[in-house]
Amino acid sequence: MLDFILANDNLPYVVGAAVVAMLGMIEMMARVAGGSLWMLMDEPLTVQQGDETASDTSSLTAWLALDRLPVLLWFILALVFFTLSGFSLNLVLWLSADIILPQSISVWPAFAMAAVSCHFAGRWFSWSSVMDDDSENLCGNIGILTLGKAIKGNPAEALVHDEWQRIHYVLVEPQEDNTAFEAGTRVLLLRREGMIWRAIRFEP
């Protein structure tokens, strides 16, 4: 079995597994240090900033669930599905016909199966529904700006955990004028006005 796993034609899938393992180790070390790798890329590729932005999402991006899952989570899932698909395809052929498909051939069905898997994974996780569910009950919670810069009149997205530790993505902007929230800034949610939360900088 080790000869099968380390076969040259399985190299793309070995690399995929190694990258997933490496990201897992980095996340563990970040947790020990009090941070998290997820905070670097913890928003969907298409940031929800209103219906017009959402409508501009390409059909392929939407089908692949890139607008429904955080970028890092989607990337890891895609790697896992690609690796499992490639290994599974070659394993079936290896056990049944004692052959392994060349890399130039096997990667294409592996890519296709990974894409289909990401599509169904996006529907299963329904990340966008978590963004809206019970978001009116987040007053007084602490959020962290993911990407972008929030100023008065130009909100940015923040990640917020509710009392049950569920993740929500909300749009926030400063309560005061002449204040800006950069990515990574911790904010305290004060009140919701429509789809936007007014917030102040949180300084423990």
Side-chain angles (χ1 to χ4, degrees), residues 25-167:
M25 293 179 62
I26 293 175
E27 174 65 12
M28 290 177 60
M29 291 186 290
R31 292 278 179 164
V32 171
S36 176
L37 181 64
W38 295 94
M39 292 302 180
L40 298 178
M41 300 175 67
D42 213 351
E43 65 175 4
L45 183 63
T46 302
V47 177
Q48 289 195 348
Q49 294 185 349
D51 295 337
E52 293 182 1
T53 303
S55 65
D56 291 337
T57 304
S58 70
S59 57
L60 179 60
T61 298
W63 191 87
L64 289 173
L66 275 166
D67 60 338
R68 297 172 64 88
L69 297 173
V71 176
L72 184 58
L73 176 59
W74 186 93
F75 177 70
I76 292 175
L77 287 176
L79 271 181
V80 170
F81 293 140
F82 173 73
T83 300
L84 291 178
S85 299
F87 271 131
S88 299
L89 176 62
N90 278 338
L91 181 60
V92 169
L93 292 174
W94 186 62
L95 293 176
S96 61
D98 197 28
I99 62 172
I100 298 178
L101 289 177
Q103 297 179 26
S104 58
I105 297 177
S106 65
V107 293
W108 298 111
F111 276 132
M113 287 186 280
V116 172
S117 298
C118 285
H119 168 72
F120 286 106
R123 296 179 58 184
W124 175 262
F125 281 106
S126 299
W127 202 270
S128 58
S129 64
V130 177
M131 296 173 63
D132 299 324
D133 183 40
D134 294 335
S135 60
E136 67 275 7
N137 299 322
L138 298 177
C139 182
N141 286 41
I142 308 300
I144 182 170
L145 269 288
T146 51
L147 297 176
K149 179 180 180 180
I151 59 176
K152 197 70 174 288
N154 184 27
E157 194 170 73
L159 180 151
V160 184
H161 289 88
D162 61 21
E163 57 183 310
W164 296 281
Q165 294 304 305
R166 295 179 302 180
I167 293 176

Side-chain angles (χ1 to χ4, degrees), residues 3-12 103:
D3 291 339
F4 165 77
I5 295 176
L6 297 180
N8 184 64
D9 289 322
N10 279 329
L11 181 61
Q103 297 179 26

